Structures are given as C-alpha cells and as structure tokens.
Amino acid sequence: MINYIDVFVIIVNDVIKVTVQACYLTQYYMARRGERRIYLAIFFTKELMLVPCVRYIFRTQHSKLPNEPEPSDLTKVVRTIEAKDIYALSNGLALSRWDK
C-alpha cells in the first residue's frame, strides 16, 4: 500500500530530472533537450519480499510518438502472455504493450 508519493523536478540548462518517491521506491527520470530518449533509474530502500522483480511499462497514445521503434509495433502479435500486457510474435520474441 502506498502511503505517499513525492515528486521533485530539477531543471539545469538542457537537462531535466524528475524524482518520484513512493514508500520504499524511488524512480529517477532524466531527459536532455535534443535527445529522443528518457533515462530511467529505479532504487529500492528496502528489499522486495513479495515481488522479486520489477518492470517498467510506459503507456501513451500512439499519436504522441508516431515514429515508434519496431519493438513497440504490436500489429503483428499472435497472442498475449504475462498478465495480458506482454505480447508474443510468431518468431518467439515478446513485446510490451503500446496503446494505439
């Protein structure tokens, strides 16, 4: 259960850092003007007992990022796996959900 969420934003020159803290989890998002990427780091202050692994899922409208990378194109999926938000291709690769 999440008791609180704190968000901190720092902008220095062309770099923005967003820090999100919730209970034992801290996520850092960083981006630099002119780069087409967002960097993510996750830090836990307490060992995870119930969930031994963590994954990050980014969801957005397709119109917001129309030049998606090939691994994000779900038009050729053959079935869903892992909680119905991970998809399998016929060649055995798996893709995460991309809302369109």
Side-chain angles (χ1 to χ4, degrees):
M1 182 169 131
I2 297 176
N3 296 322
Y4 67 90
I5 296 176
D6 289 324
V7 178
F8 306 96
V9 178
I10 298 173
I11 301 172
V12 177
N13 297 324
D14 289 339
V15 177
I16 183 170
K17 179 176 87 170
V18 178
T19 303
V20 180
Q21 294 177 317
C23 298
Y24 305 113
L25 167 70
T26 302
Q27 290 183 316
Y28 302 96
Y29 301 85
M30 295 185 72
R32 181 173 307 176
R33 184 185 311 271
E35 289 188 10
R36 296 175 52 175
R37 60 183 58 98
I38 298 173
Y39 299 93
L40 168 67
I42 299 173
F43 178 73
F44 289 93
T45 58
K46 186 174 182 178
E47 185 176 350
L48 297 176
M49 300 299 262
L50 298 175
V51 182
C53 62
V54 176
R55 65 180 176 168
Y56 177 76
I57 299 174
F58 175 78
R59 301 180 196 273
T60 190
Q61 296 173 345
H62 181 261
S63 61
K64 302 292 183 192
L65 297 170
N67 299 318
E68 66 197 38
E70 185 177 344
S72 299
D73 181 3
L74 299 180
T75 59
K76 300 176 184 132
V77 298
V78 293
R79 63 187 172 91
T80 59
I81 56 176
E82 191 178 329
K84 297 184 181 177
D85 61 359
I86 305 295
Y87 301 91
L89 295 173
S90 60
N91 64 3
L93 293 177
L95 304 174
S96 60
R97 184 173 179 208
W98 181 277
D99 289 338
K100 291 192 176 197

